[in-house]
Amino acid sequence: MNAKDLNTEQAILKAAKNVFVMKGMEGARMQEIADEAGINKALLHYYFRSKDKLFEAVFKEALFKLMPNLLDLMKKDLALFEKIKLFVENYINTINENPHIPAFIIHELNRNPERVAELIKSTGINPSFFVNQVYEEIEKGTIEPVNPFHLIVNMLAMCIFPFIARPILQYIIFNEDPKVYAAFIEQRKKEVSEFVINAIKKK
Amino acid sequence: MNAKDLNTEQAILKAAKNVFVMKGMEGARMQEIADEAGINKALLHYYFRSKDKLFEAVFKEALFKLMPNLLDLMKKDLALFEKIKLFVENYINTINENPHIPAFIIHELNRNPERVAELIKSTGINPSFFVNQVYEEIEKGTIEPVNPFHLIVNMLAMCIFPFIARPILQYIIFNEDPKVYAAFIEQRKKEVSEFVINAIKKK
DNA sequence: GTCTATATCGGGATAGAC
DNA sequence: GTCTATCCCGATATAGAC
């Protein structure tokens, strides 16, 4: 595989990512991907055997872009409140750089749950470290007796939801001003971690 | 339009809802809808001129199933904490009866933001009543000075997210046991409203 | 490795009989 | 109002020249 090969392959993957992420597997057109990559349809099949294979490559890349932060949340050796702050800020930053990926993953997740479950398993993700840390803090009396699984889901929800529901929220909350929405997302880094910590810390 | 007409039309809408909600506009097949309705493709076009028209009917119904709760949240005349409790419980119940609708709406929302924005506008939804209520409570000193818009987004996020991300959460958190997931959702009614109230109430 | 031309098929939509 | 048969286009995929 020479340099030119790599360039074309990268160009295809980049174009495919754009199109698949915006339109989903069924909504995407091979022609559109070819156009965006500056090549023709036949080449897509030369590099990736089928639309399905191309999609899988794109989907894996998208999924594994959002997983490392989750793995960090689970395993990093930090005080709970610090970990929460760091996770919220990092995760919102990561999604902000790829704002359409969550909705893309969600759609595929519901279209093909088993396929995705297999991929997730391969990452070896495991919440037990974080869960135990929460139980220890409850034991010590520093936080309220919250269910750590709900805590994880709450944090994920508050970080991800503003991006997947952006068009609706932008209308309800900001009367469609997209500039204000960027500022809103920026605020959330602080707002969400304070919200979470307030919700669990012992008074 | 006689009784038989209504029956067939209802059967089509019901079948279309099932198929569209699970597979989205592009993923759905008219043949599959016809099969599920116990009729043939031609009849679909007799009742609804095109796939697009049929989809629109289904989408509107789905959207307006989740909007009334939101309108209630905004306008109902109740003490803030009571309103939060009631909203969380009602909203999770509503979604639980139609667990795939949120992901369906999210996908369409990102595929066709303008179309959806138009529909939303037609409901005349307006957050100002709720927003003012939050500011009044801050004034009175009963809650922390939180941004009411973030509060709304947080509540929506925590109610909706567990359903749209169900396959992934079910694996990470429960090692794929679907029975436990129903119990988890049930718990959330209490867990989320306590979480929210704890997060904002003055200590 | 990249292109043009074409095969093939699936699916939305319509015609027309009953 | 409901059916069968069919049209027709668009989209994936392949053949084959360069």
Side-chain angles (χ1 to χ4, degrees):
Chain A
M1 214 186 266
N2 57 36
K4 209 181 174 196
D5 259 319
L6 276 174
N7 287 340
T8 303
E9 196 171 333
Q10 298 299 337
I12 292 175
L13 272 174
K14 192 180 168 190
K17 184 187 148 182
N18 288 341
V19 177
F20 276 132
V21 165
M22 291 306 291
K23 313 212 165 172
M25 166 67 181
E26 301 99 338
R29 296 290 156 244
M30 293 296 265
Q31 184 63 60
E32 193 179 348
I33 295 173
D35 291 347
E36 189 145 336
I39 53 161
N40 61 69
K41 281 191 293 177
L43 259 195
L44 296 180
H45 290 89
Y46 176 80
Y47 280 92
F48 301 82
R49 272 174 39 80
S50 66
K51 184 183 184 182
D52 210 67
K53 293 266 198 301
L54 179 54
F55 178 82
E56 189 147 326
V58 169
F59 182 74
K60 276 184 190 165
E61 199 190 311
L63 186 66
F64 293 147
K65 196 166 274 173
L66 300 193
M67 293 295 292
N69 298 65
L70 251 185
L71 292 165
D72 277 3
L73 168 68
M74 300 306 177
K75 297 205 171 157
K76 207 170 249 180
D77 198 7
L78 267 178
L80 185 61
F81 289 173
E82 281 312 305
K83 196 187 273 192
I84 289 171
K85 279 183 205 162
L86 211 68
F87 172 76
V88 168
E89 179 162 347
N90 283 347
Y91 210 48
I92 290 180
N93 277 336
T94 303
I95 303 174
N96 209 11
E97 288 159 17
N98 309 276
H100 296 102
I101 287 188
F104 171 63
I105 293 178
I106 294 290
H107 180 62
E108 183 58 14
L109 201 60
N110 287 276
R111 197 178 70 92
N112 211 335
E114 328 77 36
R115 193 194 215 177
V116 183
E118 288 305 317
L119 283 175
I120 304 277
K121 274 182 215 175
S122 70
T123 67
I125 195 169
N126 181 350
S128 60
F129 186 88
F130 184 81
V131 169
N132 287 335
Q133 185 175 15
V134 171
Y135 283 138
E136 282 166 24
E137 296 294 328
I138 294 172
E139 199 82 6
K140 283 194 262 173
T142 52
I143 65 172
E144 296 282 340
V146 292
N147 180 321
F149 296 108
H150 288 284
L151 177 59
I152 294 172
V153 172
N154 290 347
M155 289 173 59
L156 288 175
M158 287 188 279
C159 290
I160 295 171
F161 186 76
F163 293 93
I164 60 184
R166 170 169 179 163
I168 216 171
L169 295 176
Q170 195 161 296
Y171 172 70
I172 297 184
I173 300 186
F174 304 113
N175 280 305
E176 308 194 59
D177 187 338
K179 296 160 223 152
V180 186
Y181 206 74
F184 180 71
I185 294 293
E186 192 57 32
Q187 288 175 357
R188 281 189 78 74
K189 294 176 197 169
K190 189 161 169 281
E191 199 84 23
V192 168
S193 51
E194 283 176 2
F195 192 86
V196 172
I197 290 170
N198 253 336
I200 64 176
K201 80 155 175 255
K202 204 91 175 188
K203 290 104 208 170
Chain B
M1 212 186 267
N2 58 37
K4 208 183 175 195
D5 258 322
L6 275 175
N7 287 339
T8 303
E9 195 170 334
Q10 299 300 336
I12 292 174
L13 272 174
K14 192 180 168 191
K17 184 185 149 185
N18 288 341
V19 177
F20 276 132
V21 165
M22 292 305 291
K23 313 208 167 175
M25 166 67 180
E26 301 100 336
R29 297 289 157 247
M30 294 296 265
Q31 184 61 60
E32 191 178 350
I33 295 174
D35 291 346
E36 189 145 334
I39 55 164
N40 60 68
K41 278 194 295 178
L43 259 194
L44 297 180
H45 289 90
Y46 176 81
Y47 280 91
F48 302 82
R49 273 174 38 80
S50 66
K51 185 183 184 182
D52 210 65
K53 292 265 198 305
L54 180 54
F55 178 82
E56 190 147 325
V58 169
F59 183 74
K60 277 184 189 164
E61 200 190 310
L63 185 66
F64 293 146
K65 197 166 272 173
L66 300 193
M67 293 294 294
N69 298 66
L70 252 184
L71 291 165
D72 277 4
L73 169 67
M74 301 305 178
K75 298 206 170 155
K76 207 170 247 176
D77 199 6
L78 265 179
L80 185 62
F81 290 173
E82 281 312 305
K83 195 186 273 193
I84 289 171
K85 278 183 204 161
L86 211 67
F87 171 76
V88 168
E89 179 161 347
N90 283 349
Y91 210 48
I92 291 178
N93 276 337
T94 304
I95 302 174
N96 209 13
E97 287 159 17
N98 309 276
H100 295 103
I101 287 188
F104 171 61
I105 292 178
I106 294 289
H107 180 62
E108 184 59 15
L109 201 59
N110 286 276
R111 195 177 72 92
N112 211 336
E114 326 78 37
R115 192 194 215 174
V116 182
E118 288 305 315
L119 283 174
I120 304 276
K121 276 181 212 175
S122 72
T123 66
I125 195 168
N126 180 349
S128 60
F129 186 88
F130 183 80
V131 169
N132 288 334
Q133 186 174 16
V134 171
Y135 283 138
E136 284 165 22
E137 295 294 328
I138 293 172
E139 199 82 7
K140 282 194 264 171
T142 53
I143 65 173
E144 296 281 342
V146 291
N147 179 319
F149 296 108
H150 287 285
L151 177 59
I152 294 172
V153 172
N154 290 346
M155 288 172 60
L156 289 175
M158 287 188 279
C159 290
I160 295 171
F161 186 76
F163 293 93
I164 61 184
R166 171 167 178 165
I168 215 171
L169 295 176
Q170 195 161 296
Y171 171 70
I172 296 183
I173 300 184
F174 304 113
N175 279 304
E176 307 194 60
D177 187 338
K179 297 161 222 152
V180 186
Y181 207 75
F184 180 71
I185 293 292
E186 192 58 32
Q187 287 176 358
R188 281 189 76 75
K189 294 175 197 168
K190 190 160 169 283
E191 198 84 24
V192 168
S193 51
E194 283 177 1
F195 192 86
V196 172
I197 291 171
N198 253 334
I200 64 176
K201 82 153 175 256
K202 205 90 176 186
K203 289 105 209 173

